[in-house]
Amino acid sequence: MSWIAKGIVNRTDHRLSMMLAVLSAGAALLLTLIVLFLIKESWPFLSSRWHSGSWFDWLQYQGWYPQENRFGMAPMLLASLAVTLGALIVALPVGLASAIYLQFYANPKVARTFRLLLTLLAGVPSVVFGLWGLTRIVPLIALWQPPGASLLAAILVLSLMVLPTIALTSAAALASVSGELLHGGIALGMRRKTQILHIMLPAARSNIFGGVLLATARALGETMAVLMVAGNVVQFPAGLFDPVRVLTANIALEMSYAMGDHRASLFASGLLLTAMVWLLSWGSYRVTRNGREAGQYG
Amino acid sequence: MLRIFIRLLLLMYVLASASVVQASGGRLTLTGSSTIAPLILEVAKRFESQHPGVRINVQTGGSSRGINDVRLGLADIGMVSRALKASEKDLSAYLIARDGIGIITHKNNPVRNLTGDQIVGIYSGKIRNWEEVGGSNLPITVINKAEGRSTLELFLQHFSLRNSQINAQVVIGDNQQGIKSVSAIAGAIGYVSIGTAEYEENHGTPIKLISMEGEIPTSENVAKGRYQFSRQLNLVVRNTPVGLAKEFIAFAQSDAVKDIIEAQFFVAP
Amino acid sequence: MVDRLFGWLMSGCAALVVSLLLWVLGDVLIEGVAHFSWSFLFTEPEDSGRSGGIAPILVSTLWILSIALVTALPLGLGVAVWLSEFAAGRRRFSDIARVTLDILAGVPSIVYGLFGNAFFSIYLGLGFSLLSGGLTLALMILPVFVRTCESGLRAVNDEWRRGALALGMARSAAIWHILLPAARPAIGAGLVLGIGRATAETAALVFTSGYVDRMPESPLDSGRALAVHIYDLSMNVTGGDSAAYASALVLVVLIVLLNTLAQSLLEDWFKRRVFVS
């Protein structure tokens, strides 16, 4: 929000302005430093790939055996995507349904308690979910298909973690839809279900989408909870009961022991993760802009 | 008000940086092998009690981390549970104990002995059920170590395997994690430090060390040379150690800590 | 009929969510209380944490958290004020800054850990220390904090600014006495988010502040955060599960307590700002 008049020169103001500008520049510098350092530290790996002409090797399946100089990240990338997608598939319908219940069916007292519970759970640390998954979910799956630590366990734990985020943001999105739309629906004699599914949800979809993206970023970047329950074998997941290793878990597992090209390759996978988040926010920016333009008709 | 706030902040940073300078005195950082760490923790406690004011920080990781951190100057001393390689001759190693690597299974597993070929078969995924090696009808869960652990390197070397040939169901980091996984899964097989395994076995953890080619994995047999699959436990420094690092290494090699080494089921050199 | 079925379906999903969440919380509460005692909070861990308490770990956690907050709070507030009040003439730059902050807010914590290890621990020579860990976390919570505060400041009605200007107040005074107090809820929300993320963080701390579970004597000692302790107990220690649940209970309660405390402090501070001076 800009100041209306630029006048009234005041020494304190000037000093404050300068100071804040320096602070901001410092912060910007620090944050740029993050990307620069990631590039600097992964440079030996990137350039040696470039020179040996095996630039895209990491995309092909050749396994992750740093000691044999084989750095195939594709299985872990795929595992990351599979875990994230799986968690969303489980959490999205359930979360959305809870939001609808919260907004249209629950009486105020129940709604408040429900909301409080969701907020509390959104604040529970991921390592606690990991601990719970390791001691409850994994043994349960192991009874059926040993060893239990698997893609399925990771998906279940992650979906539980993103559920509160999806439910809370969707509920907020539904609440922000103008009441007139709903009244119009009632006046037309629509059923409750039709009102919700065909008026309220479409009107709120751009904000719901924002919440889903938030959840996606969280699921993609989650490290500890997944590391604790996924089994950490580097392989293309062939089924839900196969153990997998995701990109973030790989960094956490190997970072402190890695040297040379191996260490650089882990920084490279950090860069890859950052790029994926960047793509995600770019996509969301595009979609929400289009959504806003089309909003009048939707 | 704003000014006071900013001054307070500045003061805090000055204090923090002052403590940086002051703290570099009687401090020693060791990182590396999770096999050696529990041993060094006990040695460090005794060393600290004899040298008031000295503080020794011990971090576990893997042998490569020990080497890595010493080279980068992150640690004063690295803990490495194998002999140094030809590419690591820029460092010098000081032997403090010997240890073996043993195969472990769940306590209730009836299998008592495996041959080298059987172990290779299990780890490369050709043998998938305990029935095939004389056990009960139970699928085998193969537990392998993550890259950078010397136990993995020595295991591969001993059985002439490459890591890409191994078909594992669970990949673990520390020795303790391996033992915890084996104790939780009935059909699991893993390989860990004999010292660590014996310590856990004696503390009631449901695991069992099994013989390999008829050789029984105990620290006693490692000491007498009756168990082949053994290794060195080393402390590693850049150049020659000086000051506190030198004192500590000398202390760790002396007879004053022999009882600690034996209590942890390792073999004094 | 269809309508009622739909309602049931929605209520059923909500009930499922509630029961799952109660399962998790109930487990943490029941298993945690079983191992918990007051001495658990005030003694050193023994036998790799199977017995004994978490005193040094609590101290390390609070060290890391205060270093992170002391660094991120003034820096973040300053940047937010600059972005919303002073950067008007540099629209393109402030737009870029906002997009960058949004991207950085989504970057996985482990990537911050990589940076912290390379920059603070190795490049600046801070080693594995509470200081490296705290500064890494400060960077991690900075983008979220700035964005929340900034949007709070921008949401303040322009009338207030005009009024201050008409009264002949200096901009700095107007920001200090009017805008910041008016944006209080957003600042509080940013603070809560920051505290939550910093206290819960595990991955970024493993290779910046380290693993040592002894009482830290200075910010340069390595120290184990509570979340790292839970991870270590559940992954590496046989028979450590019950101690892990007790630590998890402490961690959850700690986060709730810190949030309440932060909110009430903020409330108090702003009250004095508006009425006394």
Side-chain angles (χ1 to χ4, degrees), chain B residues 106-166:
Chain B
H106 193 271
K107 199 183 186 108
N108 299 337
N109 195 326
V111 175
R112 299 249 159 254
N113 178 52
L114 287 174
T115 66
D117 287 342
Q118 283 172 330
I119 293 170
V120 171
I122 289 172
Y123 268 86
S124 55
K126 288 182 199 95
I127 301 175
R128 288 176 176 273
N129 196 306
W130 284 108
E131 231 170 14
E132 296 170 55
V133 289
S136 43
N137 177 17
L138 193 68
I140 300 179
T141 303
V142 174
I143 298 181
N144 196 24
K145 287 213 138 196
E147 292 264 350
R149 269 63 171 192
S150 58
T151 318
L152 168 72
E153 286 170 36
L154 293 167
F155 180 82
L156 296 176
Q157 214 174 18
H158 190 84
F159 291 106
S160 311
L161 279 165
R162 272 183 294 120
N163 201 16
S164 46
Q165 294 171 317
I166 287 184

Side-chain angles (χ1 to χ4, degrees), chain C residues 111-130:
Chain C
V111 176
Y112 284 97
L114 281 177
F115 169 76
N117 177 271
F119 186 68
F120 295 121
S121 301
I122 298 174
Y123 190 75
L124 292 186
L126 297 176
F128 295 106
S129 63
L130 299 171

Side-chain angles (χ1 to χ4, degrees), chain B residues 239-259:
Chain B
N239 311 321
T240 41
V242 286
L244 202 57
K246 184 180 175 184
E247 258 183 82
F248 183 76
I249 291 174
F251 182 73
Q253 285 183 314
S254 70
D255 284 343
V257 298
K258 212 166 174 183
D259 56 318

Side-chain angles (χ1 to χ4, degrees), chain B residues 32 48 65 70 115 126 128 168 182 184 187-188 212 231-232 245 249 253 255:
Chain B
E48 278 174 344
R65 178 178 181 182
V70 164
T115 66
K126 288 182 199 95
R128 288 176 176 273
V182 171
M212 195 165 69
R231 58 171 167 184
Q232 305 176 347
I249 291 174
Q253 285 183 314
D255 284 343

Side-chain angles (χ1 to χ4, degrees), chain B:
Chain B
M1 178 65 201
L2 187 65
R3 220 171 292 161
I4 296 172
F5 189 58
I6 291 166
R7 283 195 192 147
L8 260 176
L9 262 182
L10 280 178
L11 190 72
M12 276 208 68
Y13 283 111
V14 170
L15 279 180
S17 42
S19 64
V20 171
V21 178
Q22 178 236 342
S24 44
R27 222 158 271 261
L28 212 52
T29 302
L30 286 90
T31 65
S33 159
S34 67
T35 306
I36 310 180
L39 170 66
I40 287 297
L41 264 174
E42 292 303 314
V43 173
K45 267 182 200 158
R46 190 170 288 178
F47 187 79
E48 278 174 344
S49 70
Q50 292 177 8
H51 299 74
V54 171
R55 185 181 164 97
I56 299 174
N57 285 331
V58 182
Q59 316 251 21
T60 64
S63 297
S64 314
R65 178 178 181 182
I67 288 177
N68 206 6
D69 287 354
V70 164
R71 276 187 178 152
L72 289 170
L74 268 177
D76 303 293
I77 303 175
M79 302 176 281
V80 180
S81 50
R82 55 169 166 75
L84 288 183
K85 297 176 194 165
S87 60
E88 294 161 352
K89 288 300 175 208
D90 53 320
L91 307 168
S92 33
Y94 296 85
L95 182 70
I96 55 164
R98 297 189 63 78
D99 173 35
I101 295 172
I103 304 285
I104 55 169
T105 60
H106 193 271
K107 199 183 186 108
N108 299 337
N109 195 326
V111 175
R112 299 249 159 254
N113 178 52
L114 287 174
T115 66
D117 287 342
Q118 283 172 330
I119 293 170
V120 171
I122 289 172
Y123 268 86
S124 55
K126 288 182 199 95
I127 301 175
R128 288 176 176 273
N129 196 306
W130 284 108
E131 231 170 14
E132 296 170 55
V133 289
S136 43
N137 177 17
L138 193 68
I140 300 179
T141 303
V142 174
I143 298 181
N144 196 24
K145 287 213 138 196
E147 292 264 350
R149 269 63 171 192
S150 58
T151 318
L152 168 72
E153 286 170 36
L154 293 167
F155 180 82
L156 296 176
Q157 214 174 18
H158 190 84
F159 291 106
S160 311
L161 279 165
R162 272 183 294 120
N163 201 16
S164 46
Q165 294 171 317
I166 287 184
N167 187 341
Q169 274 86 51
V170 179
V171 172
I172 49 109
D174 288 359
N175 279 315
Q176 273 76 14
Q177 199 189 338
I179 286 168
K180 182 156 183 168
S181 307
V182 171
S183 69
I185 305 168
I189 181 169
Y191 54 93
V192 292
S193 144
I194 292 179
T196 320
E198 272 189 285
Y199 181 86
E200 290 284 341
E201 226 180 334
N202 283 16
H203 281 70
T205 308
I207 56 156
K208 179 180 71 180
L209 278 158
I210 61 171
S211 323
M212 195 165 69
E213 299 281 0
E215 294 177 352
I216 304 158
T218 59
S219 44
E220 197 191 341
N221 284 349
V222 173
K224 292 181 179 150
R226 285 195 300 226
Y227 187 77
Q228 300 300 320
F229 193 6
S230 75
R231 58 171 167 184
Q232 305 176 347
L233 303 183
N234 285 312
L235 292 183
V236 165
V237 287
R238 251 190 318 195
N239 311 321
T240 41
V242 286
L244 202 57
K246 184 180 175 184
E247 258 183 82
F248 183 76
I249 291 174
F251 182 73
Q253 285 183 314
S254 70
D255 284 343
V257 298
K258 212 166 174 183
D259 56 318
I260 300 180
I261 294 176
E262 275 156 14
Q264 301 268 344
F265 298 96
F266 293 122
V267 180

